[in-house]
Amino acid sequence: MTAPVNTSFAMPLSDAVAKTDGPYQLHGLERAVSVLEALSESDTPLSLAEICQRMGLHKSTAHRSLMVLERSALIERTLENRFRLGLRLYELGNRAVAQIDLRARVYPFFRRLAAEVGETVHLGVLQKTSVVYLDKVEPNRRVCMSSKIGTSNPVYCTSMGKAMLAFQPEEMIEEIVAKIRFTPYTPKTLCSREKLLEYLKIVRRRGYAIDDQEIELGVRCVGAPVLNEDHWAIAAVSVSGPSSRITAQRVPAIAERLLICCREISASLGLRAKKKKHLPSALLLRYGN
């Protein structure tokens, strides 16, 4: 059954172009961007006819834009011959996050969290099957973490990696997990696709992930995602320290402070309280509903 077309946000392309009328116009590019925006505002893939109706375009004109976007992997075609945003956009978005001054934006929240929990706090982003460390704040302790900014660790055995992976589109999770080469760094490392996917369900339910000595014995980390306006993870924050200090009994209190920090960071980056049906209720309680 064809989904009803919502035209409340749509405007004819001529009106959209008129808003940006100037000496540097590329109508084909502007049209392609408008197609991407139309697809992003739909909860389901759109047919060619629906795109034409929403944008006020002739079928042949819309088709040309769609073919260019599909060749670039910016959009994808479903088996039902409908169109949706492509995973290439996610890759570009991740690079954009790394290039903006994310560190400066989150640092006040970051430093406060480190002071509250008295442990090392990390900021990281997802890069293929790894987590890249963008920043870290250490407490005034003799025993601190040996991690370095700019280095990376596998996504499947880090708290930040699992926190970010859990809050991705399902097809992105499948694509990343399929590329992982599982290595047992310690006896506690999750070393199979099945175990990782089961653990991601737990992360989605409670909102945070734990690295329980999975990459280094004696080190425990708690990580939570930083979400964009669509409630997908674009970065993550973790609290790390010796397992003698970050005990199992202390994890819930640390996680609560961490989730508050990530909620505030997400809000500062544009997250709005908007209910998403795919989100579990536990996370909605912390990120708005």
Side-chain angles (χ1 to χ4, degrees), residues 94 97 102 106 110 113 121-126 131-136 155 158-168 203 207-209 222-227 232-239 258 261-262 265-266 269 287:
N94 262 351
V97 169
L102 183 63
V106 308
F110 215 50
L113 178 62
V121 176
H122 291 100
L123 171 69
V125 293
L126 196 60
V131 174
V132 178
Y133 295 86
L134 294 186
D135 205 353
K136 104 181 198 184
V155 68
T158 55
S159 63
M160 285 196 295
K162 289 181 286 188
M164 285 186 283
L165 188 58
F167 293 96
Q168 303 300 331
V203 176
Y208 64 90
V222 185
V226 174
L227 306 179
W232 301 126
I234 58 171
V237 176
S238 70
V239 175
L258 174 63
C261 176
C262 288
I265 292 173
S266 298
L269 295 174
Y287 284 91

mmCIF file of all heavy atoms in Angstrom, residues 94 97 102 106 110 113 121-126 131-136 155 158-168 203 207-209 222-227 232-239 258 261-262 265-266 269 287:
data_model
loop_
_atom_site.group_PDB
_atom_site.id
_atom_site.type_symbol
_atom_site.label_atom_id
_atom_site.label_comp_id
_atom_site.label_asym_id
_atom_site.label_seq_id
_atom_site.Cartn_x
_atom_site.Cartn_y
_atom_site.Cartn_z
ATOM 1 N N ASN A 94 30.065 11.755 9.486
ATOM 2 C CA ASN A 94 31.071 11.450 10.503
ATOM 3 C C ASN A 94 32.334 12.282 10.291
ATOM 4 O O ASN A 94 32.965 12.745 11.239
ATOM 5 C CB ASN A 94 31.422 9.966 10.453
ATOM 6 C CG ASN A 94 30.676 9.174 11.508
ATOM 7 O OD1 ASN A 94 30.018 9.736 12.380
ATOM 8 N ND2 ASN A 94 30.760 7.863 11.425
ATOM 9 N N VAL A 97 31.746 15.786 11.493
ATOM 10 C CA VAL A 97 31.839 15.888 12.952
ATOM 11 C C VAL A 97 33.289 16.005 13.387
ATOM 12 O O VAL A 97 33.631 16.780 14.272
ATOM 13 C CB VAL A 97 31.178 14.661 13.613
ATOM 14 C CG1 VAL A 97 31.500 14.597 15.093
ATOM 15 C CG2 VAL A 97 29.678 14.718 13.430
ATOM 16 N N LEU A 102 34.396 20.160 17.527
ATOM 17 C CA LEU A 102 33.577 19.457 18.505
ATOM 18 C C LEU A 102 34.220 19.503 19.884
ATOM 19 O O LEU A 102 33.532 19.628 20.899
ATOM 20 C CB LEU A 102 33.388 18.008 18.043
ATOM 21 C CG LEU A 102 32.497 17.109 18.888
ATOM 22 C CD1 LEU A 102 31.068 17.649 18.896
ATOM 23 C CD2 LEU A 102 32.529 15.683 18.369
ATOM 24 N N VAL A 106 32.287 20.728 23.472
ATOM 25 C CA VAL A 106 31.922 19.833 24.573
ATOM 26 C C VAL A 106 32.813 19.986 25.797
ATOM 27 O O VAL A 106 32.490 19.440 26.863
ATOM 28 C CB VAL A 106 31.956 18.355 24.111
ATOM 29 C CG1 VAL A 106 31.131 18.161 22.860
ATOM 30 C CG2 VAL A 106 33.378 17.865 23.894
ATOM 31 N N PHE A 110 32.570 18.245 29.509
ATOM 32 C CA PHE A 110 33.601 17.240 29.656
ATOM 33 C C PHE A 110 34.368 17.392 30.967
ATOM 34 O O PHE A 110 34.528 16.456 31.743
ATOM 35 C CB PHE A 110 34.534 17.503 28.478
ATOM 36 C CG PHE A 110 35.157 16.297 27.878
ATOM 37 C CD1 PHE A 110 34.407 15.205 27.521
ATOM 38 C CD2 PHE A 110 36.519 16.279 27.657
ATOM 39 C CE1 PHE A 110 35.004 14.107 26.942
ATOM 40 C CE2 PHE A 110 37.113 15.197 27.071
ATOM 41 C CZ PHE A 110 36.363 14.107 26.717
ATOM 42 N N LEU A 113 32.294 16.739 34.068
ATOM 43 C CA LEU A 113 32.078 15.322 34.317
ATOM 44 C C LEU A 113 33.308 14.686 34.966
ATOM 45 O O LEU A 113 33.181 13.891 35.911
ATOM 46 C CB LEU A 113 31.748 14.601 33.003
ATOM 47 C CG LEU A 113 31.550 13.084 33.104
ATOM 48 C CD1 LEU A 113 30.374 12.744 34.007
ATOM 49 C CD2 LEU A 113 31.350 12.486 31.707
ATOM 50 N N VAL A 121 38.022 11.090 31.396
ATOM 51 C CA VAL A 121 36.887 11.187 30.481
ATOM 52 C C VAL A 121 37.412 11.316 29.053
ATOM 53 O O VAL A 121 38.324 12.103 28.789
ATOM 54 C CB VAL A 121 35.990 12.393 30.835
ATOM 55 C CG1 VAL A 121 34.860 12.543 29.827
ATOM 56 C CG2 VAL A 121 35.429 12.235 32.240
ATOM 57 N N HIS A 122 36.851 10.515 28.148
ATOM 58 C CA HIS A 122 37.264 10.534 26.739
ATOM 59 C C HIS A 122 36.119 10.985 25.844
ATOM 60 O O HIS A 122 34.947 10.748 26.154
ATOM 61 C CB HIS A 122 37.697 9.138 26.271
ATOM 62 C CG HIS A 122 38.967 8.649 26.875
ATOM 63 N ND1 HIS A 122 39.000 7.765 27.923
ATOM 64 C CD2 HIS A 122 40.265 8.913 26.558
ATOM 65 C CE1 HIS A 122 40.252 7.503 28.241
ATOM 66 N NE2 HIS A 122 41.046 8.180 27.429
ATOM 67 N N LEU A 123 36.474 11.592 24.710
ATOM 68 C CA LEU A 123 35.544 11.910 23.634
ATOM 69 C C LEU A 123 36.021 11.167 22.397
ATOM 70 O O LEU A 123 37.205 11.221 22.054
ATOM 71 C CB LEU A 123 35.519 13.412 23.361
ATOM 72 C CG LEU A 123 34.740 13.879 22.123
ATOM 73 C CD1 LEU A 123 33.239 13.675 22.327
ATOM 74 C CD2 LEU A 123 35.031 15.352 21.818
ATOM 75 N N GLY A 124 35.110 10.458 21.716
ATOM 76 C CA GLY A 124 35.506 9.713 20.531
ATOM 77 C C GLY A 124 34.462 9.743 19.439
ATOM 78 O O GLY A 124 33.296 10.063 19.687
ATOM 79 N N VAL A 125 34.888 9.410 18.229
ATOM 80 C CA VAL A 125 33.974 9.294 17.090
ATOM 81 C C VAL A 125 34.213 7.955 16.411
ATOM 82 O O VAL A 125 35.271 7.338 16.556
ATOM 83 C CB VAL A 125 34.160 10.437 16.062
ATOM 84 C CG1 VAL A 125 33.753 11.766 16.646
ATOM 85 C CG2 VAL A 125 35.600 10.483 15.546
ATOM 86 N N LEU A 126 33.200 7.509 15.679
ATOM 87 C CA LEU A 126 33.258 6.239 14.967
ATOM 88 C C LEU A 126 33.936 6.428 13.617
ATOM 89 O O LEU A 126 33.594 7.334 12.864
ATOM 90 C CB LEU A 126 31.834 5.711 14.770
ATOM 91 C CG LEU A 126 31.636 4.251 14.385
ATOM 92 C CD1 LEU A 126 32.208 3.324 15.453
ATOM 93 C CD2 LEU A 126 30.154 3.976 14.188
ATOM 94 N N VAL A 131 37.147 3.231 16.995
ATOM 95 C CA VAL A 131 36.839 4.472 17.698
ATOM 96 C C VAL A 131 38.101 5.314 17.713
ATOM 97 O O VAL A 131 39.170 4.840 18.122
ATOM 98 C CB VAL A 131 36.401 4.196 19.150
ATOM 99 C CG1 VAL A 131 36.226 5.497 19.909
ATOM 100 C CG2 VAL A 131 35.117 3.400 19.174
ATOM 101 N N VAL A 132 37.990 6.568 17.261
ATOM 102 C CA VAL A 132 39.118 7.495 17.276
ATOM 103 C C VAL A 132 38.932 8.440 18.455
ATOM 104 O O VAL A 132 37.875 9.048 18.621
ATOM 105 C CB VAL A 132 39.218 8.290 15.958
ATOM 106 C CG1 VAL A 132 40.380 9.286 16.026
ATOM 107 C CG2 VAL A 132 39.389 7.343 14.776
ATOM 108 N N TYR A 133 39.973 8.571 19.275
ATOM 109 C CA TYR A 133 39.908 9.423 20.461
ATOM 110 C C TYR A 133 40.227 10.865 20.087
ATOM 111 O O TYR A 133 41.330 11.163 19.619
ATOM 112 C CB TYR A 133 40.891 8.927 21.516
ATOM 113 C CG TYR A 133 40.542 7.559 22.053
ATOM 114 C CD1 TYR A 133 40.985 6.396 21.401
ATOM 115 C CD2 TYR A 133 39.760 7.412 23.185
ATOM 116 C CE1 TYR A 133 40.651 5.138 21.870
ATOM 117 C CE2 TYR A 133 39.418 6.162 23.670
ATOM 118 C CZ TYR A 133 39.871 5.028 23.010
ATOM 119 O OH TYR A 133 39.535 3.791 23.476
ATOM 120 N N LEU A 134 39.248 11.750 20.269
ATOM 121 C CA LEU A 134 39.416 13.155 19.912
ATOM 122 C C LEU A 134 39.936 14.009 21.061
ATOM 123 O O LEU A 134 40.614 15.005 20.850
ATOM 124 C CB LEU A 134 38.081 13.741 19.443
ATOM 125 C CG LEU A 134 37.474 13.213 18.145
ATOM 126 C CD1 LEU A 134 36.231 14.021 17.796
ATOM 127 C CD2 LEU A 134 38.476 13.253 17.000
ATOM 128 N N ASP A 135 39.592 13.635 22.288
ATOM 129 C CA ASP A 135 39.987 14.463 23.436
ATOM 130 C C ASP A 135 39.909 13.641 24.705
ATOM 131 O O ASP A 135 39.253 12.592 24.755
ATOM 132 C CB ASP A 135 39.074 15.688 23.545
ATOM 133 C CG ASP A 135 39.751 16.854 24.262
ATOM 134 O OD1 ASP A 135 40.874 16.669 24.779
ATOM 135 O OD2 ASP A 135 39.151 17.940 24.306
ATOM 136 N N LYS A 136 40.567 14.146 25.739
ATOM 137 C CA LYS A 136 40.488 13.486 27.038
ATOM 138 C C LYS A 136 40.804 14.482 28.136
ATOM 139 O O LYS A 136 41.580 15.421 27.929
ATOM 140 C CB LYS A 136 41.401 12.276 27.060
ATOM 141 C CG LYS A 136 42.693 12.373 27.799
ATOM 142 C CD LYS A 136 43.468 11.054 27.669
ATOM 143 C CE LYS A 136 44.524 10.965 28.722
ATOM 144 N NZ LYS A 136 45.375 9.765 28.618
ATOM 145 N N VAL A 155 35.889 -1.092 17.726
ATOM 146 C CA VAL A 155 34.556 -0.680 18.156
ATOM 147 C C VAL A 155 33.910 -1.708 19.075
ATOM 148 O O VAL A 155 33.146 -1.347 19.977
ATOM 149 C CB VAL A 155 33.668 -0.410 16.915
ATOM 150 C CG1 VAL A 155 33.381 -1.700 16.166
ATOM 151 C CG2 VAL A 155 32.372 0.258 17.289
ATOM 152 N N THR A 158 35.225 -1.606 23.118
ATOM 153 C CA THR A 158 35.323 -0.332 23.820
ATOM 154 C C THR A 158 33.915 0.143 24.172
ATOM 155 O O THR A 158 32.967 -0.107 23.426
ATOM 156 C CB THR A 158 36.009 0.743 22.956
ATOM 157 O OG1 THR A 158 35.313 0.857 21.710
ATOM 158 C CG2 THR A 158 37.459 0.385 22.676
ATOM 159 N N SER A 159 33.800 0.831 25.299
ATOM 160 C CA SER A 159 32.473 1.301 25.707
ATOM 161 C C SER A 159 31.940 2.360 24.743
ATOM 162 O O SER A 159 30.759 2.363 24.398
ATOM 163 C CB SER A 159 32.526 1.864 27.133
ATOM 164 O OG SER A 159 33.370 2.994 27.214
ATOM 165 N N MET A 160 32.815 3.263 24.274
ATOM 166 C CA MET A 160 32.371 4.285 23.326
ATOM 167 C C MET A 160 31.968 3.650 22.002
ATOM 168 O O MET A 160 30.977 4.046 21.384
ATOM 169 C CB MET A 160 33.466 5.334 23.096
ATOM 170 C CG MET A 160 33.646 6.302 24.243
ATOM 171 S SD MET A 160 34.606 7.786 23.785
ATOM 172 C CE MET A 160 36.200 7.066 23.413
ATOM 173 N N GLY A 161 32.740 2.661 21.552
ATOM 174 C CA GLY A 161 32.420 2.007 20.288
ATOM 175 C C GLY A 161 31.071 1.324 20.326
ATOM 176 O O GLY A 161 30.247 1.479 19.422
ATOM 177 N N LYS A 162 30.812 0.582 21.388
ATOM 178 C CA LYS A 162 29.535 -0.121 21.501
ATOM 179 C C LYS A 162 28.383 0.857 21.704
ATOM 180 O O LYS A 162 27.271 0.622 21.206
ATOM 181 C CB LYS A 162 29.602 -1.138 22.635
ATOM 182 C CG LYS A 162 30.497 -2.331 22.303
ATOM 183 C CD LYS A 162 30.539 -3.350 23.415
ATOM 184 C CE LYS A 162 31.360 -2.885 24.593
ATOM 185 N NZ LYS A 162 31.563 -3.946 25.606
ATOM 186 N N ALA A 163 28.642 1.958 22.428
ATOM 187 C CA ALA A 163 27.590 2.959 22.627
ATOM 188 C C ALA A 163 27.197 3.619 21.313
ATOM 189 O O ALA A 163 26.012 3.831 21.032
ATOM 190 C CB ALA A 163 28.059 4.019 23.629
ATOM 191 N N MET A 164 28.188 3.936 20.468
ATOM 192 C CA MET A 164 27.887 4.550 19.175
ATOM 193 C C MET A 164 27.268 3.553 18.215
ATOM 194 O O MET A 164 26.330 3.878 17.477
ATOM 195 C CB MET A 164 29.156 5.159 18.567
ATOM 196 C CG MET A 164 29.593 6.452 19.221
ATOM 197 S SD MET A 164 30.993 7.247 18.371
ATOM 198 C CE MET A 164 32.354 6.219 18.940
ATOM 199 N N LEU A 165 27.789 2.333 18.213
ATOM 200 C CA LEU A 165 27.289 1.317 17.286
ATOM 201 C C LEU A 165 25.830 0.985 17.569
ATOM 202 O O LEU A 165 25.037 0.773 16.646
ATOM 203 C CB LEU A 165 28.151 0.060 17.388
ATOM 204 C CG LEU A 165 27.903 -1.052 16.371
ATOM 205 C CD1 LEU A 165 28.082 -0.529 14.952
ATOM 206 C CD2 LEU A 165 28.842 -2.224 16.628
ATOM 207 N N ALA A 166 25.450 0.957 18.845
ATOM 208 C CA ALA A 166 24.080 0.602 19.219
ATOM 209 C C ALA A 166 23.066 1.596 18.688
ATOM 210 O O ALA A 166 21.920 1.225 18.406
ATOM 211 C CB ALA A 166 23.963 0.505 20.737
ATOM 212 N N PHE A 167 23.473 2.848 18.530
ATOM 213 C CA PHE A 167 22.540 3.888 18.103
ATOM 214 C C PHE A 167 22.869 4.362 16.693
ATOM 215 O O PHE A 167 23.136 5.532 16.443
ATOM 216 C CB PHE A 167 22.529 5.042 19.113
ATOM 217 C CG PHE A 167 21.964 4.632 20.433
ATOM 218 C CD1 PHE A 167 22.798 4.236 21.460
ATOM 219 C CD2 PHE A 167 20.594 4.582 20.634
ATOM 220 C CE1 PHE A 167 22.282 3.804 22.668
ATOM 221 C CE2 PHE A 167 20.069 4.170 21.830
ATOM 222 C CZ PHE A 167 20.910 3.775 22.861
ATOM 223 N N GLN A 168 22.883 3.394 15.777
ATOM 224 C CA GLN A 168 23.034 3.633 14.348
ATOM 225 C C GLN A 168 21.849 2.985 13.635
ATOM 226 O O GLN A 168 21.192 2.091 14.181
ATOM 227 C CB GLN A 168 24.336 3.015 13.822
ATOM 228 C CG GLN A 168 25.598 3.480 14.503
ATOM 229 C CD GLN A 168 25.816 4.975 14.385
ATOM 230 O OE1 GLN A 168 25.376 5.589 13.408
ATOM 231 N NE2 GLN A 168 26.483 5.564 15.363
ATOM 232 N N VAL A 203 22.534 -2.257 25.397
ATOM 233 C CA VAL A 203 22.960 -0.847 25.347
ATOM 234 C C VAL A 203 21.797 0.054 24.953
ATOM 235 O O VAL A 203 21.578 1.114 25.555
ATOM 236 C CB VAL A 203 24.132 -0.669 24.355
ATOM 237 C CG1 VAL A 203 24.512 0.808 24.238
ATOM 238 C CG2 VAL A 203 25.334 -1.494 24.802
ATOM 239 N N GLY A 207 20.875 2.672 27.600
ATOM 240 C CA GLY A 207 21.430 3.950 27.167
ATOM 241 C C GLY A 207 22.928 4.079 27.272
ATOM 242 O O GLY A 207 23.494 5.070 26.816
ATOM 243 N N TYR A 208 23.627 3.112 27.823
ATOM 244 C CA TYR A 208 25.086 3.201 27.944
ATOM 245 C C TYR A 208 25.704 1.814 27.794
ATOM 246 O O TYR A 208 25.036 0.791 27.920
ATOM 247 C CB TYR A 208 25.502 3.831 29.272
ATOM 248 C CG TYR A 208 25.117 3.029 30.503
ATOM 249 C CD1 TYR A 208 25.970 2.068 31.033
ATOM 250 C CD2 TYR A 208 23.905 3.239 31.145
ATOM 251 C CE1 TYR A 208 25.634 1.332 32.158
ATOM 252 C CE2 TYR A 208 23.548 2.516 32.276
ATOM 253 C CZ TYR A 208 24.417 1.568 32.771
ATOM 254 O OH TYR A 208 24.071 0.833 33.885
ATOM 255 N N ALA A 209 27.021 1.808 27.512
ATOM 256 C CA ALA A 209 27.766 0.567 27.316
ATOM 257 C C ALA A 209 28.898 0.479 28.324
ATOM 258 O O ALA A 209 29.348 1.493 28.875
ATOM 259 C CB ALA A 209 28.330 0.498 25.896
ATOM 260 N N VAL A 222 32.878 3.143 31.055
ATOM 261 C CA VAL A 222 31.443 3.301 30.829
ATOM 262 C C VAL A 222 31.278 4.360 29.744
ATOM 263 O O VAL A 222 31.825 5.468 29.879
ATOM 264 C CB VAL A 222 30.710 3.736 32.106
ATOM 265 C CG1 VAL A 222 29.201 3.763 31.879
ATOM 266 C CG2 VAL A 222 31.059 2.816 33.269
ATOM 267 N N GLY A 223 30.553 4.060 28.662
ATOM 268 C CA GLY A 223 30.414 4.993 27.541
ATOM 269 C C GLY A 223 28.963 5.219 27.168
ATOM 270 O O GLY A 223 28.125 4.325 27.292
ATOM 271 N N ALA A 224 28.664 6.436 26.707
ATOM 272 C CA ALA A 224 27.307 6.781 26.267
ATOM 273 C C ALA A 224 27.391 7.622 24.999
ATOM 274 O O ALA A 224 28.383 8.322 24.775
ATOM 275 C CB ALA A 224 26.559 7.544 27.357
ATOM 276 N N PRO A 225 26.347 7.588 24.154
ATOM 277 C CA PRO A 225 26.395 8.286 22.868
ATOM 278 C C PRO A 225 26.033 9.759 22.972
ATOM 279 O O PRO A 225 25.248 10.172 23.823
ATOM 280 C CB PRO A 225 25.346 7.538 22.039
ATOM 281 C CG PRO A 225 24.326 7.114 23.056
ATOM 282 C CD PRO A 225 25.105 6.785 24.296
ATOM 283 N N VAL A 226 26.595 10.538 22.076
ATOM 284 C CA VAL A 226 26.163 11.911 21.807
ATOM 285 C C VAL A 226 25.294 11.833 20.559
ATOM 286 O O VAL A 226 25.745 11.334 19.526
ATOM 287 C CB VAL A 226 27.361 12.852 21.573
ATOM 288 C CG1 VAL A 226 26.890 14.238 21.137
ATOM 289 C CG2 VAL A 226 28.222 12.934 22.830
ATOM 290 N N LEU A 227 24.059 12.294 20.655
ATOM 291 C CA LEU A 227 23.086 12.087 19.586
ATOM 292 C C LEU A 227 22.838 13.348 18.765
ATOM 293 O O LEU A 227 22.905 14.463 19.292
ATOM 294 C CB LEU A 227 21.751 11.611 20.175
ATOM 295 C CG LEU A 227 21.808 10.369 21.072
ATOM 296 C CD1 LEU A 227 20.426 10.022 21.604
ATOM 297 C CD2 LEU A 227 22.406 9.184 20.333
ATOM 298 N N TRP A 232 20.549 9.631 16.275
ATOM 299 C CA TRP A 232 21.611 8.707 15.928
ATOM 300 C C TRP A 232 22.902 9.209 16.556
ATOM 301 O O TRP A 232 23.133 10.423 16.672
ATOM 302 C CB TRP A 232 21.797 8.590 14.413
ATOM 303 C CG TRP A 232 20.585 8.136 13.647
ATOM 304 C CD1 TRP A 232 20.008 8.771 12.588
ATOM 305 C CD2 TRP A 232 19.802 6.952 13.866
ATOM 306 N NE1 TRP A 232 18.923 8.062 12.140
ATOM 307 C CE2 TRP A 232 18.764 6.941 12.906
ATOM 308 C CE3 TRP A 232 19.870 5.906 14.784
ATOM 309 C CZ2 TRP A 232 17.825 5.921 12.841
ATOM 310 C CZ3 TRP A 232 18.923 4.894 14.711
ATOM 311 C CH2 TRP A 232 17.931 4.913 13.744
ATOM 312 N N ALA A 233 23.796 8.287 16.929
ATOM 313 C CA ALA A 233 25.045 8.669 17.589
ATOM 314 C C ALA A 233 26.033 9.270 16.603
ATOM 315 O O ALA A 233 26.300 8.697 15.547
ATOM 316 C CB ALA A 233 25.665 7.452 18.263
ATOM 317 N N ILE A 234 26.584 10.432 16.946
ATOM 318 C CA ILE A 234 27.617 11.061 16.127
ATOM 319 C C ILE A 234 28.952 11.091 16.858
ATOM 320 O O ILE A 234 29.993 11.371 16.267
ATOM 321 C CB ILE A 234 27.236 12.499 15.717
ATOM 322 C CG1 ILE A 234 26.978 13.364 16.949
ATOM 323 C CG2 ILE A 234 26.032 12.497 14.783
ATOM 324 C CD1 ILE A 234 26.806 14.843 16.652
ATOM 325 N N ALA A 235 28.938 10.805 18.139
ATOM 326 C CA ALA A 235 30.150 10.772 18.961
ATOM 327 C C ALA A 235 29.790 10.034 20.245
ATOM 328 O O ALA A 235 28.656 9.582 20.425
ATOM 329 C CB ALA A 235 30.658 12.180 19.260
ATOM 330 N N ALA A 236 30.753 9.885 21.129
ATOM 331 C CA ALA A 236 30.487 9.245 22.415
ATOM 332 C C ALA A 236 31.441 9.794 23.455
ATOM 333 O O ALA A 236 32.520 10.317 23.139
ATOM 334 C CB ALA A 236 30.631 7.729 22.318
ATOM 335 N N VAL A 237 31.027 9.680 24.705
ATOM 336 C CA VAL A 237 31.846 10.079 25.851
ATOM 337 C C VAL A 237 31.976 8.869 26.757
ATOM 338 O O VAL A 237 31.024 8.101 26.930
ATOM 339 C CB VAL A 237 31.199 11.253 26.617
ATOM 340 C CG1 VAL A 237 32.014 11.595 27.864
ATOM 341 C CG2 VAL A 237 31.072 12.479 25.716
ATOM 342 N N SER A 238 33.169 8.676 27.331
ATOM 343 C CA SER A 238 33.352 7.558 28.253
ATOM 344 C C SER A 238 34.054 8.016 29.521
ATOM 345 O O SER A 238 34.777 9.012 29.524
ATOM 346 C CB SER A 238 34.166 6.433 27.603
ATOM 347 O OG SER A 238 35.518 6.820 27.439
ATOM 348 N N VAL A 239 33.813 7.276 30.582
ATOM 349 C CA VAL A 239 34.524 7.441 31.852
ATOM 350 C C VAL A 239 35.350 6.182 32.046
ATOM 351 O O VAL A 239 34.812 5.068 32.010
ATOM 352 C CB VAL A 239 33.545 7.622 33.026
ATOM 353 C CG1 VAL A 239 34.309 7.658 34.354
ATOM 354 C CG2 VAL A 239 32.720 8.891 32.842
ATOM 355 N N LEU A 258 27.156 10.369 33.524
ATOM 356 C CA LEU A 258 27.568 10.343 32.120
ATOM 357 C C LEU A 258 26.396 10.629 31.192
ATOM 358 O O LEU A 258 26.520 11.395 30.231
ATOM 359 C CB LEU A 258 28.184 8.980 31.803
ATOM 360 C CG LEU A 258 28.555 8.699 30.343
ATOM 361 C CD1 LEU A 258 29.632 9.653 29.864
ATOM 362 C CD2 LEU A 258 29.025 7.247 30.198
ATOM 363 N N CYS A 261 25.556 14.252 31.188
ATOM 364 C CA CYS A 261 26.555 14.987 30.398
ATOM 365 C C CYS A 261 26.281 14.844 28.903
ATOM 366 O O CYS A 261 26.278 15.838 28.166
ATOM 367 C CB CYS A 261 27.946 14.457 30.734
ATOM 368 S SG CYS A 261 29.281 15.182 29.742
ATOM 369 N N CYS A 262 26.023 13.615 28.443
ATOM 370 C CA CYS A 262 25.778 13.386 27.012
ATOM 371 C C CYS A 262 24.478 14.042 26.560
ATOM 372 O O CYS A 262 24.393 14.540 25.430
ATOM 373 C CB CYS A 262 25.751 11.892 26.723
ATOM 374 S SG CYS A 262 27.375 11.117 26.813
ATOM 375 N N ILE A 265 25.366 17.712 26.104
ATOM 376 C CA ILE A 265 26.170 17.897 24.898
ATOM 377 C C ILE A 265 25.292 17.776 23.661
ATOM 378 O O ILE A 265 25.372 18.601 22.738
ATOM 379 C CB ILE A 265 27.315 16.872 24.838
ATOM 380 C CG1 ILE A 265 28.337 17.144 25.947
ATOM 381 C CG2 ILE A 265 28.006 16.918 23.474
ATOM 382 C CD1 ILE A 265 29.401 16.072 26.064
ATOM 383 N N SER A 266 24.439 16.751 23.628
ATOM 384 C CA SER A 266 23.543 16.546 22.487
ATOM 385 C C SER A 266 22.644 17.757 22.281
ATOM 386 O O SER A 266 22.426 18.201 21.145
ATOM 387 C CB SER A 266 22.699 15.286 22.695
ATOM 388 O OG SER A 266 23.516 14.134 22.788
ATOM 389 N N LEU A 269 24.391 20.613 20.660
ATOM 390 C CA LEU A 269 24.674 20.386 19.241
ATOM 391 C C LEU A 269 23.419 20.350 18.379
ATOM 392 O O LEU A 269 23.486 20.116 17.184
ATOM 393 C CB LEU A 269 25.444 19.072 19.069
ATOM 394 C CG LEU A 269 26.839 19.024 19.687
ATOM 395 C CD1 LEU A 269 27.416 17.626 19.565
ATOM 396 C CD2 LEU A 269 27.762 20.036 19.051
ATOM 397 N N TYR A 287 16.814 11.513 27.094
ATOM 398 C CA TYR A 287 17.055 12.391 25.955
ATOM 399 C C TYR A 287 15.814 13.116 25.476
ATOM 400 O O TYR A 287 15.832 13.762 24.445
ATOM 401 C CB TYR A 287 17.682 11.600 24.795
ATOM 402 C CG TYR A 287 19.114 11.295 25.021
ATOM 403 C CD1 TYR A 287 19.508 10.113 25.638
ATOM 404 C CD2 TYR A 287 20.112 12.187 24.657
ATOM 405 C CE1 TYR A 287 20.845 9.832 25.860
ATOM 406 C CE2 TYR A 287 21.444 11.915 24.863
ATOM 407 C CZ TYR A 287 21.804 10.738 25.467
ATOM 408 O OH TYR A 287 23.123 10.449 25.679
#
